Amino acid sequence: MSALNHTPAEESLLAMMPAGEARKHFAATGLPGRKDEGWRWTDLRRVLSAPLEASDPTPPKNIPLAPVPMPEAIEVVFSQDTVASPTTLPAGISITQDEPYAIKGRSEMARIAAALSKSPTTLCIEKSCETPIMIRHVATKAGLSATHLQIHIAANVETVIVETYETHEGVSNALVEYFLAENAKLTRVIVQKGNQAAVVISSSLAILMAGAKLDQTTIGFGAKLARMETKVQHVGVGASAILNGISLLKGKSHLDHTSVIDHIMPGCETRELYKAAITGRARGVFQGKFLVKQGAQKTQAQMAHHALLLSQTAEVRAKPELEIYADDVECAHGNTVGALDDDAIFYMRQRGVSEAQARAMLVQAFLSEVIEQIQDEKIRQQFETLVGDWMGAQI
């Protein structure tokens, strides 16, 4: 045991974790918090101080409705460490419980999720499928729920996966790892919702082989503490990734969008755009890092984060970062934080629009740049509805 002064929560986590490298590492480091550079604005160690218990593995009798209704989707539900999936799946799609694919360099919470999960669920997609796959992470009971999912997408396959993180109670810690073979294309949509008492942690990794394409869009509403972490590794020549996201935060909710994009091979491309609208006493965090290795010549990478503070007590912390070891690249990042334009609100009020409606219209126009990039019309409409519902509750 390390000399680290463990909190009651850390002691209980140690008791749950099986012997191995993950437990040994956790004993020495504990939960991440403000002393850890990547977590200094999302102090998980402070929020999780009381002892933790494993969530009751019995699935709830009634799973709440999904935040994005998609009746045509193939639905897979993770709830209290159990998996429910259709008995019959389309040809080329399989779900099994397999031995984990070894991954080095997992983040802190990813290691914990992998260690606490009995065995990872493996989703293999070997043929393109027009029907979206909907993966729901549902936590409805107190305690800690940990899940581990590995998704393999075969060469030249195209697929759409919608992930929802629905934490109604307790602590949810999910690890999702994607492996995209040559020229595979993944459209990944993430919807995060949690109440003001829940803690939501999502750690995801996408490994892209040559010519693989990832198009990811996230919308998050925060929780007592929520962190949506995405890591991408361009391990094949000509791989590309688009990461876009929206944060809609109110009350005392907290949402941390963290991404690390590792450019390893030449000719890869990344575009990243995140926007946030924050009101009440809520806090948003954006941390984005582009790492360009020495051999990753001809990399093209653009990152931007923009936030609107809609109240005097709202907060946002942002840290865009470039770390470049190649000399033939085109990389840039930008960050802005501001408030609504009073002149624009005045102009609209002079034309018969109420102040509340004017504010809502300006926020929706601000967020539209992200929504308009969603290629799938049905998913784009779902995002528009989610934004409209959130704005409607504010006016």
Side-chain angles (χ1 to χ4, degrees), residues 300-313:
Q300 297 186 39
Q302 307 288 328
M303 178 197 308
H305 169 260
H306 307 292
L308 276 179
L309 300 182
L310 305 178
S311 69
Q312 295 293 326
T313 51

Side-chain angles (χ1 to χ4, degrees), residues 46-122:
R46 178 186 62 81
V47 172
L48 293 184
S49 56
L52 294 170
E53 294 182 359
S55 181
D56 179 359
T58 305
K61 294 181 179 179
N62 297 307
I63 298 288
L65 294 176
V68 283
M70 299 187 69
E72 75 281 9
I74 302 166
E75 186 172 284
V76 181
V77 180
F78 288 83
S79 182
Q80 276 68 250
D81 205 25
T82 61
V83 184
S85 61
T87 54
T88 302
L89 294 170
I93 298 178
S94 62
I95 298 176
T96 59
Q97 300 288 125
D98 291 336
E99 290 297 319
Y101 185 89
I103 297 293
K104 294 183 179 180
R106 283 183 175 136
S107 62
E108 295 89 337
M109 297 308 294
R111 279 192 295 266
I112 295 173
L116 292 178
S117 300
K118 295 177 181 178
S119 61
T121 298
T122 302

Side-chain angles (χ1 to χ4, degrees), residues 22 45 57 65 82 103 127 168 185 231 244-245 299 306 319 371 378:
R45 194 169 194 259
L65 294 176
T82 61
I103 297 293
K127 292 183 179 180
H168 303 270
K185 182 179 180 180
K231 292 189 174 184
N244 295 332
T299 289
H306 307 292
K319 184 186 177 185
I371 297 174
K378 291 183 179 179

Side-chain angles (χ1 to χ4, degrees), residues 274-345:
Y274 280 84
K275 291 197 171 186
I278 309 172
T279 189
R281 301 183 64 85
R283 170 182 280 193
V285 176
F286 172 80
Q287 299 181 109
K289 181 176 182 178
F290 288 162
L291 175 60
V292 182
K293 298 289 180 62
Q294 188 173 4
Q297 304 293 348
K298 304 296 183 181
T299 289
Q300 297 186 39
Q302 307 288 328
M303 178 197 308
H305 169 260
H306 307 292
L308 276 179
L309 300 182
L310 305 178
S311 69
Q312 295 293 326
T313 51
E315 294 184 27
V316 64
R317 305 292 178 93
K319 184 186 177 185
E321 186 178 2
L322 302 178
E323 187 174 337
I324 302 172
Y325 298 97
D327 54 12
D328 185 8
V329 301
E330 295 180 16
C331 298
H333 62 68
N335 175 65
T336 62
V337 178
L340 291 176
D341 187 338
D342 290 336
D343 290 340
I345 294 175

Side-chain angles (χ1 to χ4, degrees), residues 260-278:
V260 179
I261 316 301
D262 192 354
H263 302 84
I264 301 170
M265 299 297 287
C268 296
E269 181 179 358
T270 301
R271 289 189 286 119
E272 189 168 357
L273 173 64
Y274 280 84
K275 291 197 171 186
I278 309 172

